[in-house]
Amino acid sequence: MSGLRSTRTCPGLGEASDLKYPLGSKFREPLTQARFQQLFGDAEQDSELRAEPRWSRLRRQWRRRRASACSGPGAWRLLLARLPPLRWLPHYRWRAWLLGDAVAGVTVGIVHVPQGMAFALLTSVPPVFGLYTSFFPVLIYTLLGTGRHLSTGTFAVLSLMTGSAVERLVPEPLERNLSAIEREQLDAQRVGAAAAMAFGSGALMLGMFALQLGVLATFLSEPVVKALTSGAALHVLVSQLPSLLGLPLPRQIGCFALFKTLAAVLTELPRSSPAELTISALSLALLVPVKELNVRFRDRLPTPIPGEIVMVLLASVLCFTSSLDTRYNVQIVGLLPGGFPQPLLPSLAELPRILVDSLPMAMVTFAVSASLASIYADKYSYTIDSNQELLAHGVSNLISSFFSCFPNSATLATTSLLVDAGGNTQVRASYLLCPKAVLACINISSMRQMFFQMRELPQLWRISRVDFAVWMVTWVAVVTLSVDLGLAVGVVFSMMTVVCRTQRIQCLALGLAEGTELYRPLRESHKLLQVPGLLVLSYPTPLYFGTRGQFRRILEWHLRLGEGVAEPVRVVVLDCSGVPFVDAAGARDVVQLASRCRDAGIHLLLAHFSAGTLTQAGLLDRVSPEQLFVSVQDAAAYALETLELSGPKTCTVWV
């Protein structure tokens, strides 16, 4: 290519030109990548950086960070990063925010009581442990979390996943008529298994934090998370049907558990308890309208109506005065022990099996919490740190497991309730005899927001058919298989759609817009200038092993290589500004294309192509530096100046 350069001079401003230039244009010589690096970059330093192994650079950066952290200012910055309240508490608006935070804390604390007990039933542990899980994680997240509007505690999806794992690890004996001592021993084993899974998920999230894997949140797309929670809500609804109808059925686990439960309920439906069915109908008749009122009149109500706690109190009073448990054999929660449990290290005897179940729980915890925190952070103009969220939820699950808590995360219902009640920060008050049918109704009514996510499907169809497909595949997998397998299917399918979209090869022919220096796709307008013998192509697609071969074939088709054409192409300028990344296979495709063009007498010029990529692939010696240009305009100007193409001629570049 070096033999192509000539000493032709640029036309003066007063000379005639075949192109119409913008007024006041300035002219310069076309710049190759090498010339640009000589003028504006330190080529020697860049070559040294490229020659240094990546591991050495990472080790040097780690040593620099460690040295800065050991200094006084560095230690203070580290403390501010790890304890977010130290950043926002000095700027707390006491007069404007304190009342709202207090009201929100009391409101959410009231709702946590019945909701925690209800979600404990999903986890297959006694209800009091739901109260513990609604208390300890809140305190820990307040110190470490970056989501100011996030409410943590029991979450239906996690409780459902934990309950399935607990039932598998500690199954119900075949003879269900257990004595009080046997029932107590079974509950203790299940509490230990649930606490061990909280320990395992917390440890996994801390490991992810140590590896700075907060970026994994980007792989759990919004359609996957919403389909997961919506499908899990259907699991919750079906799993609560035996409690609603008073049927003592064993819990179904594994794939197709939803359909197995429905079949068992339909089979045993004639044996349902009229008393519990009446309690369930009355409870839903109160809870559902109250939820709707809270949503419709959220701007007018000073604080949301606590329908759950009112229902629990009314049901407890009714059960106590009417002796429903003894007269009609209504299943009740029973007496709740007072005080807090003693700290105890969970049993880790079956750690490998526990970690297998804890991994999807850790992913769901992080996905739901990070996405929910991001929504409110964007709404109220502050930022969250995804890696710090890993630390906060990891420590929260790990420490709370010592107090017999099961896995916990941010919760959709109480977070929305907290914001509606006027909460602004984590400064808020953290704060029986009740039929289990009432708690089952609380579980179902709390799923309202998750079910209503399906109303977004028509809009999602109009915006992106691919996202709609991801939503539907994830939802069907969650409903038919299980929550953890459905999550895996959704993530894999979402990644496959990304790979498939990167393989949709696009190559656009560009033309020069008259009177400008802009090159636009020819299909957008017919008023674009083309130079005979010069072809400008744009390739806005990754060059990697997934597109190996397709890139070269499509470019050869555009160039009509091997075909007799009236006006053969003499120069092709390939605009690589839309290429997000290139791997070794893609770089080899470029070199092979250059060889084919050289054999056909066509000069290939590359614009916006990284010379570092070719260097790392060991292919720079096969592509001349004079084929690499900083822009399409520079490459086209070089071709017009050097190759003396017919038609509009200029060696100038507008700046």
Side-chain angles (χ1 to χ4, degrees):
M1 295 297 295
S2 58
L4 296 176
R5 183 174 296 277
S6 70
T7 58
R8 186 173 185 179
T9 59
C10 301
L13 290 176
E15 296 182 23
S17 175
D18 294 319
L19 286 179
K20 298 179 181 179
Y21 301 104
L23 294 178
S25 298
K26 297 181 180 179
F27 306 110
R28 61 171 171 78
E29 290 291 334
L31 288 177
T32 61
Q33 288 278 8
R35 180 59 176 164
F36 183 86
Q37 194 68 29
Q38 292 175 0
L39 294 175
F40 303 105
D42 190 347
E44 182 178 355
Q45 181 179 358
D46 289 348
S47 62
E48 291 178 359
L49 289 176
R50 287 196 298 267
E52 184 182 11
R54 179 178 176 83
W55 175 251
S56 300
R57 294 202 304 270
L58 293 176
R59 184 171 56 184
R60 189 181 68 253
Q61 293 173 1
W62 179 78
R63 287 177 178 175
R64 188 185 302 117
R65 291 177 181 176
R66 186 179 63 175
S68 63
C70 294
S71 63
W76 177 245
R77 286 194 300 270
L78 181 62
L79 188 63
L80 289 177
R82 297 295 167 255
L83 294 176
L86 295 179
R87 296 200 305 267
W88 55 260
L89 195 57
H91 307 287
Y92 186 79
R93 303 176 185 175
W94 294 95
R95 293 185 178 181
W97 291 350
L98 184 59
L99 179 60
D101 282 337
V103 172
V106 172
T107 303
V108 172
I110 290 174
V111 173
H112 264 307
V113 174
Q115 196 175 84
M117 293 190 297
F119 288 165
L121 296 182
L122 286 177
T123 317
S124 299
V125 297
V128 68
F129 294 96
L131 299 181
Y132 301 152
T133 309
S134 300
F135 178 76
F136 291 104
V138 176
L139 299 178
I140 300 170
Y141 184 82
T142 300
L143 297 176
L144 299 175
T146 58
R148 300 179 191 174
H149 296 83
L150 219 59
S151 174
T152 58
T154 56
F155 182 43
V157 177
L158 273 183
S159 298
L160 184 68
M161 297 174 67
T162 306
S164 299
V166 167
E167 293 276 353
R168 187 169 58 254
L169 293 172
V170 188
E172 183 89 11
L174 296 179
E175 57 280 0
R176 297 180 57 84
N177 296 323
L178 303 178
S179 64
I181 296 179
E182 290 174 336
R183 172 60 60 181
E184 185 176 350
Q185 292 176 348
L186 179 66
D187 288 341
Q189 292 177 1
R190 290 184 167 180
V191 168
M197 278 181 281
F199 182 92
S201 61
L204 288 173
M205 282 187 281
L206 288 179
M208 293 166 64
F209 165 75
L211 297 174
Q212 298 291 286
L213 295 180
V215 69
L216 290 179
T218 59
F219 293 101
L220 295 169
S221 63
E222 183 176 339
V224 171
V225 174
K226 288 189 174 182
L228 172 73
T229 54
S230 182
L234 191 58
H235 275 279
V236 172
L237 172 63
V238 173
S239 68
Q240 296 305 292
L241 290 179
S243 297
L244 290 177
L245 302 174
L247 297 174
L249 297 176
R251 183 167 183 169
Q252 303 291 337
I253 59 176
C255 296
F256 311 107
L258 185 144
F259 304 103
K260 295 177 183 177
T261 303
L262 280 177
V265 169
L266 292 176
T267 303
E268 299 292 329
L269 191 60
R271 299 174 52 192
S272 59
S273 169
E276 299 211 32
L277 185 59
T278 303
I279 293 174
S280 301
L282 293 176
S283 300
L284 289 175
L286 174 66
L287 290 172
V288 173
V290 167
K291 290 278 187 182
E292 192 65 26
L293 287 175
N294 285 335
V295 173
R296 292 196 176 188
F297 300 100
R298 65 175 64 184
D299 297 331
R300 300 182 184 179
L301 293 173
T303 183
I305 303 172
E308 292 89 348
I309 195 67
V310 171
M311 191 67 251
V312 168
L313 293 176
L314 289 177
S316 298
V317 172
L318 179 64
C319 187
F320 178 76
T321 57
S322 305
S323 301
L324 295 178
D325 55 331
T326 56
R327 295 176 59 184
Y328 299 100
N329 198 26
V330 172
Q331 302 179 59
I332 63 172
V333 173
L335 296 175
L336 300 178
F340 293 111
Q342 295 294 326
L344 180 66
L345 180 67
S347 175
L348 303 178
E350 299 185 2
L351 186 60
R353 294 179 62 187
I354 289 174
L355 288 179
V356 170
D357 291 315
S358 298
L359 180 58
M361 296 180 195
M363 296 302 297
V364 170
T365 298
F366 178 52
V368 173
S369 301
S371 61
L372 196 60
S374 298
I375 290 172
Y376 287 100
D378 294 340
K379 183 176 180 180
Y380 293 98
S381 302
Y382 63 90
T383 59
I384 66 163
D385 183 350
S386 57
N387 286 309
Q388 181 66 19
E389 289 296 299
L390 278 173
L391 175 65
H393 290 288
V395 173
S396 176
N397 278 272
L398 191 70
I399 294 182
S400 62
S401 68
F402 297 152
F403 297 92
S404 302
C405 296
F406 48 85
N408 57 87
S409 71
T411 62
L412 299 176
T414 53
T415 297
S416 177
L417 179 65
L418 184 147
V419 175
D420 293 340
N424 295 285
T425 66
Q426 292 290 340
V427 179
R428 48 182 178 263
S430 303
Y431 21 118
L432 177 82
L433 283 170
C434 177
K436 290 187 177 181
V438 174
L439 298 184
C441 292
I442 292 175
N443 276 332
I444 293 174
S445 64
S446 65
M447 298 294 102
R448 173 186 178 278
Q449 189 175 1
M450 298 185 191
F451 282 125
F452 282 0
Q453 291 178 144
M454 301 188 73
R455 296 186 301 182
E456 302 175 5
L457 286 178
Q459 181 182 8
L460 192 62
W461 172 265
R462 292 190 296 269
I463 295 174
S464 173
R465 306 289 173 87
V466 174
D467 285 347
F468 179 87
V470 170
W471 202 104
M472 291 304 302
V473 168
T474 305
W475 187 85
V476 171
V478 169
V479 170
T480 56
L481 300 177
S482 62
V483 176
D484 48 355
L485 289 179
L487 173 63
V489 170
V491 171
V492 171
F493 184 76
S494 178
M495 292 297 100
M496 287 175 58
T497 61
V498 174
V499 173
C500 291
R501 278 186 277 189
T502 61
Q503 291 182 315
R504 294 172 59 183
I505 306 299
Q506 295 184 4
C507 191
L508 306 175
L510 306 182
L512 180 63
E514 187 176 6
T516 72
E517 75 279 16
L518 302 177
Y519 281 84
R520 307 295 299 172
L522 291 175
R523 66 185 184 185
E524 293 184 3
S525 174
H526 298 290
K527 299 181 179 180
L528 296 173
L529 298 176
Q530 285 185 277
V531 179
L534 173 63
L535 180 62
V536 181
L537 297 175
S538 175
Y539 185 81
T541 309
L543 272 170
Y544 73 118
F545 66 92
T547 58
R548 181 174 51 194
Q550 300 182 59
F551 163 77
R552 192 173 68 256
R553 286 193 297 270
I554 290 180
L555 266 292
E556 290 176 354
W557 180 85
H558 274 280
L559 297 174
R560 303 293 195 273
L561 292 179
E563 301 179 10
V565 292
E567 293 186 0
V569 176
R570 295 180 56 195
V571 180
V572 57
V573 176
L574 183 59
D575 178 16
C576 301
S577 59
V579 178
F581 62 90
V582 182
D583 68 356
R588 278 192 292 271
D589 259 3
V590 174
V591 173
Q592 291 173 6
L593 176 66
S595 299
R596 287 293 309 275
C597 290
R598 189 181 302 111
D599 296 340
I602 299 175
H603 303 289
L604 176 65
L605 306 181
L606 304 176
H608 297 287
F609 198 86
S610 173
T613 303
L614 294 174
T615 302
Q616 294 173 2
L619 303 173
L620 188 59
D621 56 339
R622 301 174 63 182
V623 176
S624 171
E626 293 189 358
Q627 292 178 256
L628 306 177
F629 288 83
V630 297
S631 69
V632 175
Q633 291 82 3
D634 286 277
Y638 173 83
L640 291 169
E641 170 194 354
T642 307
L643 302 178
E644 300 181 356
L645 299 175
S646 61
K649 299 183 181 65
T650 179
C651 65
T652 60
V653 180
W654 294 293
V655 295

